[in-house]
Amino acid sequence: MRTYLGSVAIFCVMSTTFLLELARNAAGNDARLLGLGALPDSGQIHYEYWRLLTAGFLHYDVTHFALNT
């Protein structure tokens, strides 16, 4: 039961984050996704360690979101 609740919680966070991306027109836009916390292509995070957590919840488009869920 705990595994199920954890999976549902992660799905809810991912869904909410993706809805935020859609509301801000960030889905499919690299620059806006970087503003929300995505990892840069260079891999240089310049002491912005919070990006390591936030990047896991951001998705480029609907296909990326669907395949990850």
Side-chain angles (χ1 to χ4, degrees):
M1 184 66 171
R2 289 177 65 180
T3 303
Y4 174 74
L5 291 176
S7 297
V8 170
I10 290 172
F11 176 75
C12 289
V13 171
M14 288 173 54
S15 298
T16 302
T17 306
F18 190 67
L19 290 174
L20 174 69
E21 289 177 38
L22 292 175
R24 293 190 175 193
N25 292 324
N29 185 323
D30 289 337
R32 290 188 181 180
L33 283 172
L34 282 171
L36 291 176
L39 290 172
D41 290 337
S42 66
Q44 301 295 321
I45 57 174
H46 304 290
Y47 301 104
E48 296 176 337
Y49 297 112
W50 52 272
R51 288 185 183 274
L52 297 173
L53 179 67
T54 57
F57 294 100
L58 296 172
H59 297 86
Y60 189 75
D61 57 9
V62 175
T63 305
H64 183 207
F65 177 75
L67 291 174
N68 280 352
T69 53

